Amino acid sequence: MTRAVSGAPLSGRRLVIVSNRLPFNVEIKDGLPIFHPSAGGLVTGLASFRESRQQSPALPAEHLWVGWPGSSIDVPLREDVVRQALANFKSFPVFLTEEQMEHFYLGFCNATIWPLFHYFPSFTVYQASFWAQYKQINQLFADALESILRPDDVVWIHDYHLMLLPKLVKNRQPQLSVGFFLHIPFPSFEVFRMLPGEWRRDILEGLLGADLIGFHTYEYTHHFLQSVLRILGYEHQMSQVLAQDHLVRADTFPMGIDVEKFSSAARSDDTEREIRDLRNSLTGVKLILSVDRLDYSKGIANRLEGYEVFLENNPEYHGKVALLMVVVPSRIGVVQYDVMKRQIEELVGKINGRFGRVGWTPVVYQYRHVPFTSLLALYSVSEVCLVTPLRDGMNLVAKEYVTTRGGGVLILSEMAGAAKELPEAIIINPNDRAEIANALKQALEMSPPEQQKRHRLMQRRLKRYNVSRWASDFLTTLVGMREVQNRVESKLLSAAARQEIVAHYRQSARRLLFLDYDGTLTPLVPHPGLAGPDPARRELLRSLAADRKNSVVVASGRERQILEEWLGDLPIGLVAEHGAWLKLIHQDWRRVKPLSNEWKRELLPILETYADRLPGALIEEKEESLAWHFRMADPEQSALRAPELIDHLLNLTGKTDLQVIQGDKVVEIRHAGVNKGGAALYWMSQDDFDFILGIGDDTTDEDFFKALPATAVSIRVGMSATHAQHNIRSSAQVIDLLRALVDASGSRPKEST
Ligand code: ADQ
């Protein structure tokens, strides 16, 4: 890995933004490409960030935006489009055919992920061809990126269209800093798990390819981490997940807006003119504004129904208010959107037919994109902004309204991410029509000082955490991850250290190999009874032991009967029950010291009660100890029950010589002072060893790491903090190392795994 490069500060590097869409659409007219700017939350936000970078020297000076140019471009025209996009828009187009886009964008993106992640499972389509296309397009983006990425680029991938991309990029260029931001909600585990097994695993693994994954709210971050734990089994510590091959952070970065742009443009001549025109046309009518893309997640029908209830309950407002509903066309061609458009139009017609009269239209409906100055004018003249999504990742319209207008009242759905940052708005549940109606009345009657007080609080917050702050926070955390990763990974056994160990081994005359069993010589399995050694592992131990210079010891927490059954015929030493029993080569088992085990009768029923309360937990009764295993139990319930049990046991054993220890998915009670450290010391005293190697994976192995002399080599499997000199990623790598030792002394095992 070229760590020196990727540890460089942000300012000197190029930022590569990757999103499904570029900030423009290309239209081919008379055989020539025409570039039109495109809208939407992501594009608006990132475009503002790009502009703001000029004022911030700490941010990357150079950038490139990679994405689809909005239409399918014939091959002969592509070169010209690339040239213009690079020269005029610092963008690099990824070309897709109409058909690819249909299965990808309208298929998996917007018929599977969008409805599911917005809690519309009944709209979710599970179609294998959509998934296949999703994978293919993510791959296509990865191919395009490979040709343009430089080793010190900072890559920032956006949104649900490209959830497999972080891993694809990192697999090819592991030295890159790769960040991912999800602009929509991440749903709770119970909803996410509705995706078929392969899809949900690949999506999580794809995201975990990034160094940093960002979400709008704490809830989404929590949901993601919960799915990672429950589906992939990766735990997290302080939002950091140790994925298969690197450390990943998942964190919350609520996206802001370009406050300066909105507030200064609101004072511009063009906007002032539009505001005057609007005011003239609105004599005596208070405007309630709603602005969104046409989408079922935005709760447009609920909003209309809430407004209808308001008009029903408050006839005194007839003729005095109007709801101006601006809807931007979106995802034309997707069935639900067409149905919803008709439904909205019918509702508008119904309300206007029911309450309207000559000179007053209760709902003014516009189905179109509105230019920026007109949008600002609308925000500025509206008394109320009504934002009622059923689910929304963030909702920038709410923030834009508050920023643009000095007073006015924001009514905001609790289902929008923005509600977390704007609690001074009137917060409503969008499914409650009466609550929407009451909120409208409250808003229209709120005193100007109260309006200004609430607005000031919200504005202050939005000003502080604006879009530049959001992006720079994300990017700074992203590049900072490299240092954290380096710290964790610095103890990883390097190729050079491994070579040194092998060389030392080759040159030595008396060697002690002190090896833990579960998790070290074999991977951990759900049930302790299923971990017997395969022939290849037994053969490997036999080969190591065949070298006369070697003393091989397997030191386990297992009972001696099991070790005897699995390994008793091999010419190796054994340690059972974490050091309570020892067996020298070809000798009988010996108990380290006589101990009373009366305590087991007392504590067993307690363990049983806790096992009954946690499905999947099981008890292992050994000669000298008791173990309460919970590897097969629900991880979240275990996280509650295990500490409870430990606390209970600590209370009971406080004044005894018993010890309560939490291992990897196990709680054990055993005699204090009897541990693998003692066993290691015993073996070391048996000879004058000039090479000592200790390998283990669990907290109980820390005892022998501590007991080994400084000249010994100690290795802990996994990435946990340890007294050992090195970490190694997996038990498979332990086996590789042991094979290398066998090769070094020239006695190769007969079989291999
Ligand atoms: P969107 O679903 O597109 O974004 P939103 O956050 O409200 O939703 O952003 C919409 C943007 O488009 C705003 O900047 C708004 O000004 C603009 N816009 C809306 N209607 C318009 C109209 N009629 N004419 C012109 N402009 C219009 C997704 C997620 C959101 C998340 C954003 C950013 O769905 O939850 O807030 O990304 O992460």
Side-chain angles (χ1 to χ4, degrees):
M1 281 200 198
T2 50
R3 291 232 170 80
V5 171
S6 26
L10 201 48
S11 55
R13 298 162 72 179
R14 181 176 68 161
L15 171 66
V16 178
I17 297 170
V18 191
S19 64
N20 172 45
R21 295 289 292 268
L22 284 172
F24 53 78
N25 290 316
V26 176
E27 186 196 3
I28 303 298
K29 227 176 185 170
D30 302 328
L32 289 175
I34 318 264
F35 292 74
H36 303 285
S38 67
L42 191 156
V43 163
T44 318
L46 288 178
S48 304
F49 167 65
R50 283 199 308 176
E51 286 159 27
S52 72
R53 273 177 324 122
Q54 271 114 33
Q55 287 110 53
S56 179
L59 293 173
E62 197 191 341
H63 80 268
L64 182 70
W65 195 320
V66 180
W68 185 57
S71 61
S72 94
I73 313 280
D74 291 338
V75 178
L77 287 169
R78 289 184 181 174
E79 206 176 304
D80 190 28
V81 172
V82 171
R83 195 182 45 74
Q84 289 201 48
L86 279 171
N88 305 332
F89 298 92
K90 291 191 177 158
S91 296
F92 185 86
V94 178
F95 297 108
L96 303 171
T97 64
E98 293 282 344
E99 199 195 339
Q100 281 174 324
M101 214 47 199
E102 190 150 316
H103 275 82
F104 168 66
Y105 185 67
L106 297 182
F108 197 75
C109 294
N110 288 320
T112 310
I113 294 297
W114 180 273
L116 193 70
F117 280 33
H118 285 88
Y119 294 80
F120 285 86
S122 57
F123 288 1
T124 306
V125 179
Y126 303 93
Q127 197 167 305
S129 64
F130 286 177
W131 169 243
Q133 192 72 312
Y134 186 74
K135 286 198 288 189
Q136 200 192 326
I137 300 296
N138 273 259
Q139 192 68 54
L140 220 132
F141 268 78
D143 295 343
L145 283 169
E146 192 170 20
S147 64
I148 49 178
L149 287 179
R150 306 196 294 235
D152 64 341
D153 280 344
V154 177
V155 184
W156 193 3
I157 302 169
H158 289 266
D159 230 1
Y160 62 105
H161 318 84
L162 299 173
M163 292 190 285
L164 308 180
L165 192 56
K167 185 177 174 192
L168 295 173
V169 172
K170 270 289 236 222
N171 277 354
R172 295 180 192 194
Q173 286 154 286
Q175 82 286 357
L176 285 168
S177 279
V178 177
F180 179 92
F181 191 84
L182 187 70
H183 289 261
I184 65 172
F186 195 94
S188 75
F189 166 69
E190 282 303 332
V191 170
F192 183 71
R193 76 185 305 190
M194 293 173 89
L195 288 173
E198 179 203 321
W199 305 6
R200 63 189 186 214
R201 270 194 305 276
D202 283 3
I203 288 173
L204 294 178
E205 293 280 14
L207 290 169
L208 287 173
D211 300 296
L212 175 67
I213 308 167
F215 301 90
H216 279 308
T217 73
Y218 166 74
E219 275 82 359
Y220 309 155
T221 311
H222 171 69
H223 289 159
F224 170 73
L225 289 170
Q226 195 177 37
S227 285
V228 166
L229 172 65
R230 309 199 108 192
I231 293 166
L232 301 178
Y234 301 151
E235 294 185 3
H236 68 93
Q237 265 177 0
M238 313 270 285
S239 294
Q240 287 178 173
V241 180
L242 198 61
Q244 233 159 27
D245 57 357
H246 71 297
L247 192 75
V248 188
R249 183 174 186 86
D251 215 338
T252 307
F253 301 87
M255 184 174 175
I257 61 162
D258 187 348
V259 172
E260 196 42 48
K261 179 175 158 201
F262 275 87
S263 35
S264 63
R267 295 188 298 268
S268 76
D269 291 347
D270 284 353
T271 320
E272 292 284 355
R273 198 171 318 112
E274 290 217 30
I275 293 175
R276 262 198 313 279
D277 292 350
L278 267 169
R279 288 229 163 94
N280 289 338
S281 66
L282 283 170
T283 40
V285 171
K286 286 187 168 181
L287 205 58
I288 301 164
L289 178 68
S290 90
V291 181
D292 18 37
R293 274 188 313 100
L294 179 71
D295 201 289
Y296 46 81
S297 66
K298 300 286 181 187
I300 301 174
N302 302 44
R303 186 179 314 162
L304 283 166
E305 286 163 3
Y307 180 60
E308 188 178 15
V309 175
F310 166 76
L311 293 178
E312 231 166 59
N313 295 348
N314 301 285
E316 70 277 16
Y317 276 102
H318 291 190
K320 301 210 175 81
V321 292
L323 172 63
L324 174 58
M325 216 168 69
V326 186
V327 175
V328 199
S330 181
R331 296 171 202 171
I332 297 157
V334 178
V335 181
Q336 282 98 10
Y337 290 75
D338 297 343
V339 171
M340 186 183 33
K341 180 168 179 283
R342 270 200 308 279
Q343 192 195 359
I344 290 168
E345 284 164 0
E346 279 167 21
L347 259 170
V348 171
K350 182 180 151 216
I351 297 171
N352 283 342
R354 185 172 164 202
F355 299 103
R357 57 181 191 229
V358 177
W360 179 54
T361 312
V363 186
V364 180
Y365 171 61
Q366 296 180 357
Y367 179 63
R368 63 183 166 87
H369 179 83
V370 184
F372 184 59
T373 46
S374 312
L375 190 65
L376 285 181
L378 286 173
Y379 286 149
S380 305
V381 300
S382 302
E383 305 294 331
V384 180
C385 185
L386 185 55
V387 183
T388 60
L390 301 174
R391 287 284 162 180
D392 210 338
M394 172 53 77
N395 195 291
L396 298 180
V397 168
K399 293 187 170 183
E400 291 167 2
Y401 174 71
V402 170
T403 302
T404 311
R405 206 173 183 306
V409 183
L410 172 67
I411 301 176
L412 180 58
S413 160
E414 62 183 330
M415 303 299 178
K420 302 277 177 294
E421 290 167 273
L422 304 172
E424 293 82 7
I426 302 179
I427 305 291
I428 50 104
N429 180 306
N431 298 308
D432 189 339
R433 276 55 164 175
E435 201 177 338
I436 297 176
N438 292 339
L440 280 170
K441 188 162 178 347
Q442 187 193 342
L444 290 163
E445 290 168 9
M446 191 180 283
S447 71
E450 174 67 14
Q451 293 181 17
Q452 278 147 17
K453 192 178 90 196
R454 289 177 183 229
H455 255 63
R456 264 200 304 276
L457 288 168
M458 293 192 278
Q459 279 177 341
R460 208 177 300 153
R461 215 168 295 128
L462 294 178
K463 205 166 174 181
R464 225 178 19 240
Y465 208 83
N466 61 13
V467 69
S468 312
R469 174 79 192 280
W470 164 76
S472 55
D473 254 16
F474 183 91
L475 292 171
T476 316
T477 313
L478 169 59
V479 294
M481 273 308 287
R482 188 43 51 96
E483 206 186 306
V484 183
Q485 287 162 336
N486 285 351
R487 216 179 309 130
V488 172
E489 290 173 11
S490 64
K491 282 192 92 171
L492 264 185
L493 185 69
S494 64
R498 189 177 183 274
Q499 259 174 13
E500 242 173 69
I501 295 171
V502 175
H504 179 187
Y505 175 88
R506 193 181 289 122
Q507 287 153 14
S508 51
R510 286 298 305 138
R511 311 162 182 143
L512 173 63
L513 309 180
F514 201 79
L515 310 169
D516 166 54
Y517 182 78
D518 293 272
T520 301
L521 289 174
T522 59
L524 292 169
V525 292
H527 193 287
L530 302 172
D534 57 13
R537 282 183 171 74
R538 282 173 44 82
E539 205 44 50
L540 176 62
L541 289 171
R542 193 189 294 280
S543 303
L544 281 168
D547 188 326
R548 283 191 303 112
K549 294 176 183 167
N550 291 352
S551 290
V552 180
V553 181
V554 172
S556 169
R558 298 267 186 177
E559 280 191 285
R560 59 196 170 116
Q561 285 82 352
I562 294 178
L563 291 181
E564 189 62 46
E565 185 188 322
W566 286 347
L567 306 167
D569 60 323
L570 297 176
I572 61 175
L574 295 171
V575 176
E577 299 209 32
H578 303 291
W581 290 89
L582 308 180
K583 183 182 184 255
L584 298 184
I585 302 167
H586 305 311
Q587 290 189 19
D588 283 337
W589 284 96
R590 316 204 257 116
R591 207 173 187 193
V592 170
K593 58 178 173 181
L595 299 161
S596 152
N597 284 323
E598 275 301 295
W599 58 273
K600 285 205 288 183
R601 261 197 300 143
E602 267 178 62
L603 295 187
L604 200 55
I606 295 168
L607 297 193
E608 276 163 357
T609 312
Y610 278 84
D612 289 343
R613 288 167 61 199
L614 182 69
L618 58 99
I619 297 162
E620 189 185 3
E621 184 178 353
K622 308 187 223 180
E623 274 177 278
E624 312 287 345
S625 60
L626 286 174
W628 189 81
H629 295 271
F630 54 94
R631 186 169 301 282
M632 286 191 298
D634 177 290
E636 275 164 310
Q637 267 194 54
S638 314
L640 296 174
R641 290 284 168 262
E644 221 178 284
L645 171 63
I646 291 172
D647 198 39
H648 193 161
L649 292 171
L650 286 175
N651 277 332
L652 294 173
T653 56
K655 292 201 168 67
T656 67
D657 75 334
L658 294 174
Q659 214 181 353
V660 180
I661 293 162
Q662 174 153 21
D664 190 358
K665 305 281 188 290
V666 63
V667 175
E668 271 205 86
I669 313 143
R670 56 182 162 95
H671 291 277
V674 175
N675 62 40
K676 287 185 187 177
L681 287 172
Y682 173 80
W683 246 281
M684 286 189 291
S685 69
Q686 299 298 300
D687 207 333
D688 197 8
F689 294 106
D690 56 352
F691 176 92
I692 300 175
L693 170 66
I695 315 181
D697 76 310
D698 205 351
T699 32
T700 55
D701 299 319
E702 292 295 323
D703 290 329
F704 75 78
F705 294 145
K706 281 185 250 171
L708 296 180
T711 48
V713 178
S714 50
I715 304 176
R716 178 151 175 182
V717 185
M719 307 290 288
S720 314
T722 178
H723 285 94
Q725 290 159 338
H726 306 281
N727 288 91
I728 198 168
R729 287 189 196 282
S730 62
S731 85
Q733 290 189 354
V734 173
I735 299 297
D736 277 354
L737 174 65
L738 296 178
R739 286 227 171 90
L741 298 185
V742 171
D743 285 347
S745 58
S747 45
R748 185 93 188 117
K750 290 181 206 95
E751 305 163 45
S752 65
T753 39

